[in-house]
Structures are given as structure tokens and as C-alpha cells.
Amino acid sequence: PLHMNGYATNIAPPTTSGNTANGSSVRPWATAVVFQSKNNTGNQHIWNQGEGAGSTDDNIYLRVTGTNGNLYFGWGRQGAVNECLIGNIGGIANSTHWWGVYIANNGTRLSASNATAANLSDAFDIRLMGSNDAPSAWSGLYDVGTEADWNAGSTGGSMTRAFTPSFTIGGRGSNRNFHGKVASMVITTLRLGVAMPTEAEIRLMITDPK
């Protein structure tokens, strides 16, 4: 689903707010991952879709930064990436906590000039859940893909370039290895021109992925 058929194209936002976009090249998707981070020193990718570490390599990813525990979702390439600061997951002090992160794209793919924080927040639905000790004890479902969250990261990266179909859980290909545990990873296509997944569906994708 994250390969999006290898299309390199601009996709306009859906005409109806809250829906997926519609058209022959539209490929909306949703992901949900449950993980526990040891927050080892370094930049670690929890999951990654894309091409790797080169300056012209494009990637879509979820990463955590070193011992400070900042969690980011990103789309783009080095020096031209859109990143949303999902939040701080507590660093080493919270290394026993489990986290659930849901990220969905409604099919919109923006040019660099249109990749503003406001437009990016409309194109994605990003949610965060936490658990103090076990995946069975979840609390909250926080909307963390707001315009302010994108402004706290970076914007202005093109989303119109094609991606190779290489998907990795626990790193970015052979580098940026993730120091932690991944309990589940859900990736799905979404239907065209219909409502995005509901809050109830999002909770189930995180807490009961089967």
C-alpha cells in the first residue's frame, strides 16, 4: 500500500472533507504500529518505506530520536522532507511503556510549494495511544497531526516522487536500526471517495489488529 503503485504524481485533496480522494491514480493508505522503545542513542526508524540513506533517496517513515524520545512521521528526502512531531514518548525513563501510532494518508500528494503545515495536516490523520505496562491497558487516542505539530517538524518537501517497493520494520533498510520491540504492524489500502476510518476503527487497528 505504501508503494502506491510506484506513481509519481500530484494528487489534489478530496472534494469532501473527511473523505479519501478519488481518481485513477489515487492510492490512500493507513498504518498502525504498536512498539516499545528502548531509546538507544541514535536516530532509529521504527518502520520505513522507500529507498535508503542517499541524498536523493525518498522515504516514508516513523522514527524516534535518541534518548530524548522525540517521535516523528516523515515523507521526503534529505534536505526536503515533511516531518510531523508526533510527540515526546519519554526517553529511557519510559522505556517499558507501549505506544500505538496510527498514520493514514487520504490520497493527497502535494508539490513542494503546496506542502504547507495546513495542507499536510489535512492530508494525514495521525493518532497516538499509550500504555503504562502492557498493550492490553491502553489509554487515550490523541490527535497529533495538527498544523502546529507539522510546524514543529518541517515542511516544503515534494510528495510527488515515486517510491521503490522496499518496506522495512525495525530500521531503514540496513541502517537506522530500531532498538526496541514491535508487537504489531498493520498496513492497509483505503477505499476511494469514502469516509476515512472512524475513531472506533482506529482504536481496533492499534489494540486488536486481528
Side-chain angles (χ1 to χ4, degrees):
L2 296 175
H3 183 218
M4 297 172 288
N5 279 91
Y7 291 149
T9 184
N10 183 86
I11 301 292
T15 55
T16 301
S17 178
N19 279 14
T20 56
N22 203 349
S24 61
S25 299
V26 179
R27 295 294 183 270
W29 48 260
T31 67
V33 64
V34 175
F35 66 94
Q36 185 184 72
S37 176
K38 300 301 181 184
N39 283 300
N40 213 21
T41 301
N43 188 11
Q44 307 157 57
H45 281 219
I46 299 168
W47 61 258
N48 188 87
Q49 168 73 43
E51 299 165 354
S55 60
T56 59
D57 288 343
D58 290 284
N59 297 280
I60 302 173
Y61 57 84
L62 179 68
R63 71 179 180 96
V64 62
T65 57
T67 55
N68 65 10
N70 284 337
L71 187 66
Y72 291 91
F73 166 69
W75 180 324
R77 62 174 57 174
Q78 184 177 317
V81 63
N82 303 309
E83 278 201 330
C84 177
L85 177 59
I86 292 175
N88 184 283
I89 58 174
I92 290 173
N94 284 343
S95 62
T96 61
H97 290 207
W98 288 90
W99 304 96
V101 176
Y102 168 88
I103 302 168
N105 171 246
N106 64 14
T108 303
R109 298 181 68 175
L110 302 165
S111 65
S113 60
N114 286 328
T116 64
N119 289 340
L120 288 163
S121 66
D122 289 338
F124 292 94
D125 188 4
I126 305 177
R127 311 291 183 101
L128 175 68
M129 292 186 79
S131 172
N132 287 336
D133 50 16
S136 60
W138 292 105
S139 61
L141 181 64
Y142 304 102
D143 185 351
V144 290
T146 66
E147 184 175 348
D149 296 321
W150 285 98
N151 274 323
S154 60
T155 60
S158 174
M159 297 169 61
T160 63
R161 291 186 288 263
F163 288 82
T164 63
S166 178
F167 180 76
T168 310
I169 298 172
R172 183 180 66 182
S174 61
N175 72 352
R176 293 196 176 178
N177 295 335
F178 176 56
H179 299 270
K181 299 177 181 179
V182 177
S184 70
M185 180 76 209
V186 175
I187 315 175
T188 182
T189 55
L190 297 175
R191 294 168 58 207
L192 304 181
V194 300
M196 293 281 284
T198 65
E199 184 171 307
E201 290 171 322
I202 293 169
R203 286 181 180 273
L204 282 174
M205 288 178 69
I206 294 173
T207 65
D208 190 8
K210 284 187 179 180

